Amino acid sequence: MYAVKQVYSPFKPELTFRRSTPASRTWKHGIFWHTRVPSGSKVICTPGSIRAVISNGDKALEQPNKEADNKEVSGTVVSSTSDKLGRGGIDVRAVITIRKKMKEKINEKIEDQWEYFINGIGRGISIQLISEEIDPETNSGKSVRAFVRGWLPKPSNNEHIFEYAADFTVPFDFGNPGAILVSNLHGKEVYLMEIVVHGFDEGPIYFPANAWIHSCKDNPDDRIIFRNQAYLPSQTPPGIKDLRREDLLSLRGNGKGERKPHDRIYDYALYNDLGNPDKDEELARPALGCEKWPYPRRCRTGRSPTKKDPNCETRVEKPHPVYVPRDETFEEIKQNTFSTGKLKALLHNLIPAISATLSSSDIPFTCFSDIDKLYNDGFVLKSDELNEIAQNPFLGNLMKQVLSVGERLLKYETPIVIKRDRFAWLRDSEFARQTLAGVNPVNIEILKVEFPILSKLDPAVYGPPESALTKRLIEQELNGMSVEKAIEENRLFILDHHDMLLPFMEKMNSLPGRKAYASRTVFFHDRANMLRPIAIELSLPPSPSSPGEKRVYTHGHDATTHWIWKLAKAHVCSNDAGVHQLVNHWLRTHACMETYIIATHRQLSAMHPIYKLLHPHMRYTLEINAIARQSLINGGGIIETCFSPGKYSMEISSAAYQNMWRFDMEALPADLVRRGMAVEDPSMPCGVRLVIEDYPYASDGLLIWSAIKEHVESYVDHFYSEPNFVKSDIELQAWWDEIKNKGHFDKRSEPWWPKLNTKEDLSGILTTIIWIASGQHAAINFGQYPFGGYVPNRPTLMRKLIPRENEHDYEKFIRNPQLTFLSSLPTQLQATKVMATQDTLSTHSPDEEYLGQVSHLHSHWINDHHIVELFDRFSARLEEIEGIIHLRNKDVRLKNRSGAGVPPYELLLPTSGPGVTGRGIPNSISI
């Protein structure tokens, strides 16, 4: 065994071998501290670099002169134009951690053994250390390249993680490495977790990757991995400045061609892949992101246009994946969890679909026990049905798989909304409570004098039977308080979906099996601090065949009025479910976050401190959005099939973006003030005071918002210590400019976009983005199944209008109001589709990363002790908040989160276990 040693001579530089005995190596702190170039290596020396490759034979080396550059001497190629090697060197070792798949096919296991062998002998992966210092001869970073080789003892009990080593001898004046170029010579990609370089004076230097390294066969360019040191652009060490720029250019691409699975290119495109006109004209959908239908941009895939509509992109249908940049895809644990969810969806949808086929029609619910069976019994087919199914080869095999999975997957969990109190959903108090503590607590607003519904309290506006609806009757609902007094004391509130939905109502009601109204609901907050609904206005637009219609309902006391009131509330819930899913959930969190993620990757280097801050809040979002475009919001997808707006769903989402979306109003305090649910108060922690103190979403949300804001401000202060640092940060300015002018191109000229001139501006923008990705999404996503899993509580569509006197259906309603109510709800197939989807969307993966937590995979995310201390402080504050929320849920004065049968409000508890828990704030929009 020989070890390369560089010996200084005052007369001439030379590279010699010194004999080294093959003594046993010492293992300490996870590495071998005895480092040698293995026998049979050849060393290639170029100005500023040393390349170690495999060769045969052990021969003495002599340093060639300048004229002998790149000439092989005695079995080794050596090149130099100076006496650098004569200065001596430092032995360093890079430890490379690779992760394998957890579940592999036999052929993959065989390939892994071959890959393991190839890596061991030094033919699989090469890495090049790039110094932070400039080589004056090349005007680029000094570099050293070696092949990864050798097998190190396994670092843990994890059988899927392997470590390899690469040994270098670098000049004393090499400086510290700031980047590593990785070249994967295997025929397939590998997952690189991190590289740790040992041997430099400052101790181990970490290069976190957690990335797929493409094969050179797919892309000959090396992958650039930067060390975990944060640098503003102006602070970038000279040796890696070019690499910083080169890496960003590679991430942007050239905007041409179709993206390949191994690509990691981020670019923008219209939402023009939701329809499929080539398959069916009924599946044609307008492209969103134009003057008529404005919308945020999505990640570009570059697929070819459809034949029938050149403005639309061809679709990729299941099971084939939609392109997202390679490192944005689900990791294996997440993929397995999501696949299990899809299996559950298959099981829940399959059996009702078979039943519908056998009966030649979709089946409505006929009694409440039909719904109860979904949770108590599940779906069990009769033996004769099984025999009939078995005659179909496909369904027969599928059913065998279904039955082999077991009864557990055929039965739904009881949703939390009826788990403690089966009849809670019937009560007006629960209907009102869910506007403050349910899955969509972001639409209720204070009722002002100028709201249209107040002008309609005059009985002269209505003919029979509405003439009985007088102002006096409304005031009876206010416990004798006048309307004017109630408004003055901030006691009237409204859930207003009228203006958003009315322009689409005629088209919606022309769809088969859909009947809806544009709704407004007025609530009264009494002196006992209880919110209750007092009036519902349901409107239909005028049409060629009928005049427009507006009707106001109150709960009444007789049986008929009571059932009509239930139907009116169901129509309100249906509207609310659609607005929640299409606007508050998809548009305001998923779609908008995608633009911030694309801009972050395109304009902020991985070394940029703001990139490092935002990185955990971008995980999995592009992948889940791509899946949504494929199966959820697409033409004929689950949203169109099961929600009231049907094929006009995304048009409504576009209209909402045009008419109400503003970045500056996405901040929680600003949104609460805009809706009149809070007033500005500088003495309060977040500068606002809630109008309704017992508003669980807002009160808990402000705690989370405040913690995020404090952390972001401290983080920004640390890196932007000088007043002009924000304005002079070229990457940061390009990032914000791109979000406004490319990501939100259709809103680029709006005057309300925040400026980005000071660190206060930056802190506000970042706090809003992190809140959207974490707290806001958690609050409106993970309660979907707990509240929507019981169909009567939150129907996603209604199939009938409310019956009126002198109509044929009115007599049926009088005879059997329960059947009228149930037959107005989604059918069994529609309901089970939605329930399966909500169940999947409400599920936390076992690898979920929660706010304030750092995964062990990212433990070396930044080399800055002060920032680590700030993060620890942030984590500790979130633990305190979790305790505060638990105490609030036990406070008997807070009736919207405690009391007999009332579920506690846990959607903004920071942590959670896996599964459908109704709690937990992930760092990112990961489902």
Side-chain angles (χ1 to χ4, degrees), residues 579-862:
V579 171
H580 162 261
Q581 198 66 262
L582 297 168
V583 180
N584 299 326
H585 183 208
W586 173 258
L587 168 64
R588 294 175 63 186
T589 63
H590 282 261
C592 287
M593 197 65 204
E594 182 156 353
T595 65
Y596 312 143
I597 292 170
I598 296 171
T600 299
H601 283 284
R602 285 169 54 88
Q603 298 298 339
L604 298 182
S605 166
M607 288 187 286
H608 199 290
I610 302 307
Y611 177 93
K612 291 183 178 295
L613 176 67
L614 291 177
H615 183 260
H617 305 290
M618 303 188 290
R619 185 175 186 236
Y620 292 156
T621 303
L622 296 190
E623 172 83 338
I624 197 65
N625 283 6
I627 292 171
R629 295 199 310 273
Q630 190 176 44
S631 305
L632 194 67
I633 63 171
N634 60 299
I638 292 171
I639 296 297
E640 289 194 0
T641 303
C642 302
F643 284 74
S644 286
K647 64 187 292 185
Y648 307 106
S649 293
M650 292 304 291
E651 293 181 19
I652 290 175
S653 189
S654 171
Y657 177 68
Q658 181 177 35
N659 296 325
M660 56 80 64
W661 186 86
R662 293 177 48 160
F663 180 88
D664 61 329
M665 292 292 110
E666 292 302 291
L668 177 59
D671 175 61
L672 293 171
V673 171
R674 172 176 65 171
R675 292 189 283 120
M677 301 303 293
V679 294
E680 294 181 357
D681 185 344
S683 67
M684 300 299 288
C686 293
V688 296
R689 177 173 49 82
L690 295 178
V691 172
I692 297 178
E693 180 184 356
D694 189 11
Y695 186 180
Y697 157 77
S699 56
D700 292 0
L702 287 172
L703 288 176
I704 301 296
W705 170 273
S706 179
I708 294 171
K709 182 173 182 286
E710 180 181 346
H711 175 61
V712 168
E713 288 175 345
S714 299
Y715 188 97
V716 168
D717 281 342
H718 178 68
F719 288 104
Y720 292 88
S721 55
E722 297 297 328
N724 66 329
F725 274 13
V726 170
K727 290 188 72 172
S728 63
D729 187 334
I730 56 174
E731 288 183 6
L732 188 69
Q733 294 297 329
W735 169 76
W736 186 234
D737 182 74
E738 185 162 294
I739 286 174
K740 295 183 294 182
N741 294 307
K742 288 189 175 180
H744 290 275
F745 179 82
D746 303 319
K747 293 270 192 176
R748 65 193 181 281
S749 300
E750 296 289 353
W752 41 253
W753 283 104
K755 305 295 182 185
L756 183 52
N757 296 325
T758 67
K759 60 185 180 182
E760 289 76 19
D761 297 337
L762 177 58
S763 296
I765 290 168
L766 293 173
T767 301
T768 298
I769 291 175
I770 294 173
W771 162 254
I772 291 168
S774 57
Q776 179 73 347
H777 180 258
I780 59 180
N781 180 75
F782 293 104
Q784 290 193 75
Y785 185 79
F787 288 98
Y790 187 66
V791 180
N793 179 66
R794 195 169 176 80
T796 56
L797 61 82
M798 296 293 283
R799 299 191 299 129
K800 295 181 179 180
L801 296 176
I802 297 176
R804 302 186 64 174
E805 292 185 57
N806 303 321
E807 293 179 350
H808 176 69
D809 287 342
Y810 189 79
E811 289 302 319
K812 293 182 180 179
F813 161 68
I814 294 296
R815 289 196 300 269
N816 193 340
Q818 175 179 286
L819 182 60
T820 297
F821 180 85
L822 290 171
S823 62
S824 299
L825 300 180
T827 64
Q828 291 193 32
L829 178 57
Q830 290 170 329
T832 51
K833 276 186 178 181
V834 170
M835 291 167 66
T837 303
Q838 291 172 333
D839 179 72
T840 300
L841 297 181
S842 301
T843 299
H844 289 294
S845 170
D847 72 336
E848 197 85 89
E849 296 177 5
Y850 295 95
L851 192 64
Q853 296 181 352
V854 175
S855 165
H856 69 281
L857 299 176
H858 305 287
S859 57
H860 301 126
W861 68 283
I862 195 166

Side-chain angles (χ1 to χ4, degrees), residues 2-9 12-19 43 59-63 85-86:
Y2 289 88
V4 174
K5 301 291 182 182
Q6 296 172 353
V7 183
Y8 176 76
S9 167
K12 74 171 187 177
E14 62 182 20
L15 182 67
T16 64
F17 276 113
R18 285 185 177 174
R19 184 73 182 177
V43 179
K59 300 182 180 181
L61 301 179
E62 292 183 1
Q63 176 70 20
L85 295 179

Side-chain angles (χ1 to χ4, degrees), residues 431 520-521 534-538 551-553 565 568-569 572:
F431 175 77
R520 291 189 180 105
T521 308
I534 59 172
I536 295 174
E537 178 194 79
L538 300 179
R551 303 185 68 187
V552 176
Y553 300 89
W565 176 246
K569 288 195 297 182
V572 172

Side-chain angles (χ1 to χ4, degrees), residues 269-385:
L270 306 179
Y271 272 73
N272 61 352
D273 62 342
L274 302 180
N276 194 348
D278 290 348
K279 182 178 180 180
D280 189 334
E281 290 185 3
E282 284 297 312
L283 295 177
R285 298 292 181 270
L288 305 183
C290 56
E291 184 176 357
K292 182 178 180 181
W293 301 114
Y295 217 62
R297 298 305 190 256
R298 63 170 175 90
C299 187
R300 181 184 180 275
T301 61
R303 298 191 301 269
S304 59
T306 60
K307 296 177 182 178
K308 293 187 177 180
D309 186 350
N311 295 318
C312 290
E313 190 174 86
T314 52
R315 286 183 52 76
V316 174
E317 303 293 355
K318 297 177 293 185
H320 304 291
V322 177
Y323 166 80
V324 295
R326 184 63 183 97
D327 292 336
E328 302 295 330
T329 57
F330 289 163
E331 293 184 26
E332 194 171 358
I333 293 175
K334 176 72 171 182
Q335 186 61 55
N336 291 339
T337 302
F338 195 76
S339 296
T340 301
K342 289 193 288 187
L343 176 60
K344 291 171 73 175
L346 169 68
L347 295 172
H348 292 319
N349 295 341
L350 174 65
I351 297 174
I354 294 171
S355 299
T357 301
L358 295 177
S359 64
S360 301
S361 64
D362 199 357
I363 303 170
F365 293 108
T366 56
C367 60
F368 284 99
S369 60
D370 289 342
I371 302 173
D372 294 338
K373 287 178 182 178
L374 299 175
Y375 320 107
N376 300 331
D377 303 331
F379 292 100
V380 180
L381 293 182
K382 300 176 183 177
S383 57
D384 56 337
E385 291 175 341

